[in-house]
Amino acid sequence: MDRRRTEWMLSLVVPVMNEESAIDRFLEAVDGALGASVPRLEILFIDDGSTDATLAKLRQRASEDLRVRVLSLTRNFGKEAAMSAGLDHARGDAVVPMDVDLQDPPEVILEFIGLWQDQGYDMVYGIRGSRDDDTQAKRTSAELFYRLFNRLAEAPIPSNAGDFRLMDRRVVEAVKRLPERNRFMKGLFSWPGYRSIGVHYDRPARTSGVSKFSFWKLWNFAIDGLVSFSTWPLRIWMYFGAVVAGLAFLYILLLVGRVIVVGSDVPGYASLMTAILFFGGMQLLSIGILGEYVGRLFIEAKRRPLYLVAEDSLITEESLGAESGLNLKSEAAGVGKAEATSGRFDGASGIS
């Protein structure tokens, strides 16, 4: 593709859940930053099971602005699945995942586009230059996670780089080919490789709403990332077991030598209980780590769809009837629009 041609499309992939107050402000900011700079713009919202008026607000804005497209999932599948749904359905020559809270400034996308078009980078990712809105504990834990992940994983991820980035169409197609159900998108974005560069930016505070990520969710998210992209948590126990076995063998030789030289004596209760508790705890910990991998094998083996789509504002009755071979206007087959839509996406909503 000639990236400098006059007609090309940029797709913004925006997962949302209970963000009705942020939608209008987000669209105004995007229009002000990109409206006159991008030949064709698609703003793809993925409603991830909102329980407030988010979906109704999105439908209204989609009816008013042809650039706005709404993809509604049947329930809450999680941000990683919602983002995967957006990548699957985005039509742009370049795709930018971003949050609706404007902590990902739309004006930075213009710098992304310049590096993509003028210097030929396939992926341009944002690096958070400041995180004043985060607590010190969150900043410290994030830094430690990036260091640990990059030491253990085969595909390192840039420190302080989130999901906010521009990806060329061929990068998007490569990510869509990754079939795992446990999605750690930062790792999936880095795994295909391609020519990439980072852009530093200051991350402002949220303009509305509150973060949906609690400490517990972030902790589990970090574990998902480490387990999905590294086998070191399993391998380390092999080394630990080898060291313990070697020490145990040396201790056996020491005990046998003492019996031969000094004679038999009664071992102490404290040392016996210490050994039992220590090795029992290590066994439970190693079984737990093994269980993390076995659980992921179980989930992958079931091959359930990553998400299900209930509604796509781009699909009209006419185009849906042409795709499925049904005459929806006459309802000759007795199938309504909602039923046909469900059948259309239930079989196609997994990652291919």
Side-chain angles (χ1 to χ4, degrees):
M1 175 196 124
D2 181 9
R3 299 177 182 179
R4 304 196 68 175
R5 71 176 192 261
T6 56
E7 285 299 321
W8 58 276
M9 176 182 284
L10 174 69
S11 291
L12 305 183
V13 171
V14 191
V16 292
M17 188 186 75
N18 297 339
E19 297 280 6
E20 60 175 310
S21 61
I23 294 170
D24 289 336
R25 189 178 292 109
F26 173 81
L27 289 174
E28 291 174 5
V30 167
D31 185 60
L34 304 176
S37 304
V38 177
R40 297 173 61 200
L41 179 63
E42 175 186 55
I43 308 173
L44 175 56
F45 289 97
I46 303 91
D47 180 62
D48 190 25
S50 295
T51 56
D52 62 358
T54 296
L55 183 56
K57 169 69 73 172
L58 291 175
R59 287 170 177 159
Q60 175 191 346
R61 296 309 301 262
S63 66
E64 298 170 352
D65 190 341
L66 294 178
R67 299 173 301 178
V68 177
R69 179 181 172 191
V70 182
L71 200 70
S72 174
L73 305 186
T74 57
R75 64 171 176 84
N76 177 253
F77 287 91
K79 183 181 178 181
E80 306 297 283
M83 194 180 305
S84 298
L87 295 179
D88 286 345
H89 291 81
R91 299 173 295 160
D93 301 296
V95 178
V96 176
M98 61 187 304
D99 293 334
V100 74
D101 56 18
L102 293 179
Q103 287 191 289
D104 301 330
E107 54 271 14
V108 178
I109 299 175
L110 295 176
E111 191 172 353
F112 290 175
I113 293 173
L115 291 168
W116 171 65
Q117 288 186 324
D118 300 334
Q119 300 188 31
Y121 286 100
D122 297 301
M123 181 161 56
V124 185
Y125 53 86
I127 300 176
R128 300 157 183 166
S130 65
R131 303 179 61 158
D132 296 335
D133 194 45
D134 295 337
T135 63
Q136 181 62 41
K138 186 175 181 180
R139 291 196 295 267
T140 302
S141 60
E143 182 179 354
L144 292 175
F145 167 75
Y146 283 117
R147 288 184 180 180
L148 178 62
F149 184 93
N150 290 335
R151 283 182 175 272
L152 301 182
E154 62 180 30
I157 58 178
S159 297
N160 290 319
D163 299 321
F164 184 42
R165 63 190 65 213
L166 181 145
M167 293 178 287
D168 183 74
R169 168 50 59 180
R170 64 176 180 166
V171 179
V172 174
E173 293 300 324
V175 172
K176 287 167 61 176
R177 294 177 60 190
L178 304 179
E180 52 258 50
R181 270 65 180 168
N182 286 287
R183 313 287 287 179
F184 180 67
M185 297 306 295
K186 295 181 182 67
L188 295 181
F189 291 150
S190 297
W191 187 88
Y194 292 101
R195 191 163 178 251
S196 305
I197 191 173
V199 171
H200 290 266
Y201 71 97
D202 291 329
R203 195 176 197 219
R206 291 178 62 100
T207 58
S208 61
V210 295
S211 174
K212 305 300 188 298
F213 279 96
S214 62
F215 175 80
W216 181 247
K217 287 185 177 180
L218 290 173
W219 169 258
N220 288 314
F221 186 60
I223 292 177
D224 281 340
L226 289 173
V227 174
S228 296
F229 284 88
S230 175
T231 58
W232 264 101
L234 285 176
R235 189 173 300 171
I236 194 173
W237 290 105
M238 179 182 70
Y239 297 129
F240 180 78
V243 171
V244 171
L247 293 175
F249 180 73
L250 293 176
Y251 188 58
I252 289 172
L253 294 179
L254 176 63
L255 290 179
V256 171
R258 284 189 60 190
V259 171
I260 294 175
V261 175
V262 180
S264 176
D265 60 352
V266 179
Y269 173 79
S271 61
L272 179 62
M273 288 303 299
T274 299
I276 291 174
L277 293 174
F278 174 76
F279 289 110
M282 291 297 99
Q283 288 174 349
L284 290 175
L285 179 59
S286 60
I287 291 172
I289 293 176
L290 183 62
E292 287 288 333
Y293 286 89
V294 172
R296 280 157 176 76
L297 289 174
F298 174 66
I299 292 173
E300 297 294 335
K302 290 187 290 187
R303 298 190 62 82
R304 290 176 179 170
L306 183 60
Y307 58 85
L308 296 175
V309 175
E311 173 187 340
D312 184 349
S313 63
L314 185 67
I315 304 297
T316 62
E317 289 191 11
E318 291 78 12
S319 62
L320 184 62
E323 288 181 16
S324 62
L326 299 175
N327 187 345
L328 294 180
K329 289 186 177 180
S330 62
E331 296 187 357
V335 181
K337 176 183 177 182
E339 182 179 351
T341 304
S342 176
R344 163 70 176 84
F345 286 105
D346 284 359
S349 55
I351 300 297
S352 58

